[in-house]
Amino acid sequence: MTPELAYFLKINIGIALFYAFYRLFFYRDTFFHWRRYALLSFLIISFLYPFMNIQDWVKEQEPMNEIVTIYAANILPEAGITPQESSTWSQLIKNIVPVVYWIGAALLFIRFLIQIISISILAIRCRKADVNGITVRILNKPSSPFSFFHWIFISPELHSEKEAKEILIHEETHARQWHSIDVVFSELMNILCWINPFSWLLKREVRNNLEYMADNRVILSGHDTKSYQFHLLGLAHQKAAANLYNSFNVLPLKNRIRMMNKKRSHQIGRTKYLLFAPLAA
């Protein structure tokens, strides 16, 4: 096994284990900010931990070294390895799999770049305006409101004054808290590990949690929960131009509405996030 393949496998194993840990402990709580840091930590640690080499440290620990020696000498069975010629099919698979992986990664990366360029061009073409004291870019065509980093895009004529306020609070939360960093980083990690289904699931959870945070901010600002939820349902039919940015009506709405109606988790529940440290170790 090449070092590159070993590194790739370790990343994907880390992502799978962290996703399982997330579903087990964090999935149902309402600590959205803590959950954001946990999800980012999952991705970062999965990327970095394969660089760690603890073999030398293990060798320095005499008790551990003795246990390994005893295990190798007395428990592991002896096995003889007979060289075998690789079959045509196995050789063909070894040649095809890397090609398929790199083609998939290249296509996803090209899509990622196209979305970045498209949003940048849209930001240049859209007229700037001040709506409720917030600088926004007016969409040339009726479309769903969205944000990307500090850019907020909206079609004011499609919304009432109350709806516009809800949208701007939502999107300004994304902009001020730099949620697009999470989106871009999870997207890049998913491009690297696109063949791993847990990578797609973890990316989805990152996006969903950012929407929970923005929705929660709208509710805390004093807007009526039921009215806001009907507003979201009313925008569900509007088509999104891309899936890279933070969208006001990103699906699935069912999860967002359920999370808004959910009873807030007890503060003592935050202690479970301390379990993440020993897991990472």
Side-chain angles (χ1 to χ4, degrees):
M1 181 182 296
T2 64
E4 293 79 9
L5 179 58
Y7 173 72
F8 179 74
L9 292 176
K10 288 179 181 179
I11 291 178
N12 284 276
I13 291 172
I15 289 175
L17 291 175
F18 282 133
Y19 178 77
F21 183 79
Y22 167 82
R23 292 286 299 194
L24 184 62
F25 291 101
F26 304 152
Y27 182 67
R28 298 185 182 278
D29 67 42
T30 58
F31 303 123
F32 306 127
H33 286 84
W34 286 69
R35 190 191 296 188
R36 179 193 184 188
Y37 299 138
L39 288 168
L40 284 177
S41 298
F42 294 162
L43 295 173
I44 293 172
I45 294 176
S46 296
F47 182 76
L48 294 179
Y49 90 89
F51 290 109
M52 298 173 59
N53 185 356
I54 64 171
Q55 293 183 20
D56 294 335
W57 177 83
V58 171
K59 291 177 181 178
E60 294 175 358
Q61 311 304 313
E62 293 185 5
M64 191 176 297
N65 199 13
E66 291 178 3
I67 292 174
V68 172
T69 303
I70 294 173
Y71 180 81
N74 302 318
I75 300 179
L76 290 180
E78 294 183 2
I81 301 177
T82 304
Q84 295 181 353
E85 294 185 1
S86 300
S87 65
T88 304
W89 282 108
S90 62
Q91 192 64 35
L92 186 63
I93 292 174
K94 289 181 180 179
N95 294 333
I96 290 178
V97 170
V99 174
V100 172
Y101 167 78
W102 286 113
I103 290 176
L107 291 175
L108 290 173
F109 186 70
I110 291 172
R111 187 189 68 167
F112 171 79
L113 291 179
I114 291 174
Q115 291 178 343
I116 293 284
I117 294 171
S118 299
I119 296 173
S120 300
I121 293 174
L122 186 62
I124 295 172
R125 290 180 176 177
C126 288
R127 174 175 58 89
K128 287 185 179 181
D130 187 274
V131 179
N132 295 336
I134 300 175
T135 300
V136 300
R137 281 168 167 76
I138 306 300
L139 292 168
N140 299 323
K141 296 180 180 179
S143 181
S144 172
F146 65 93
S147 64
F148 188 70
F149 285 95
H150 63 283
W151 295 328
I152 297 177
F153 299 84
I154 188 173
S155 299
E157 69 278 1
L158 297 181
H159 314 286
S160 66
E161 182 179 354
K162 180 182 178 182
E163 291 174 344
K165 288 181 179 179
E166 293 174 346
I167 291 172
L168 291 176
I169 292 173
H170 182 103
E171 299 304 337
E172 192 179 24
T173 300
H174 286 313
R176 286 187 173 182
Q177 297 181 5
W178 295 90
H179 289 178
S180 292
I181 292 178
D182 304 45
V183 173
V184 170
F185 184 62
S186 64
E187 190 71 30
L188 290 174
M189 283 293 292
N190 189 62
I191 291 172
L192 177 65
C193 305
W194 68 270
I195 62 174
N196 184 355
F198 294 103
S199 177
W200 293 89
L201 293 172
L202 203 56
K203 184 185 81 166
R204 184 190 64 183
E205 294 303 327
V206 169
R207 297 293 299 272
N208 286 346
N209 187 62
L210 296 176
E211 296 306 319
Y212 298 155
M213 292 174 67
D215 289 338
N216 189 54
R217 180 58 187 165
V218 175
I219 302 303
L220 292 177
S221 65
H223 290 272
D224 180 69
T225 303
K226 295 299 180 183
S227 175
Y228 177 60
Q229 291 172 358
F230 280 118
H231 182 195
L232 290 176
L233 292 171
L235 291 175
H237 69 281
Q238 294 187 3
K239 184 179 180 181
N243 62 2
L244 184 63
Y245 48 65
N246 299 292
S247 179
F248 180 72
N249 66 328
V250 69
L251 298 178
L253 288 177
K254 180 180 178 181
N255 291 343
R256 292 173 63 184
I257 292 174
R258 187 190 75 243
M259 194 61 71
M260 277 186 272
N261 293 331
K262 190 171 185 179
K263 184 179 179 181
R264 301 297 94 174
S265 301
H266 199 280
Q267 295 300 315
I268 197 173
R270 293 180 179 180
T271 56
K272 66 184 178 183
Y273 282 84
L274 298 176
L275 293 172
F276 170 67
L279 174 70

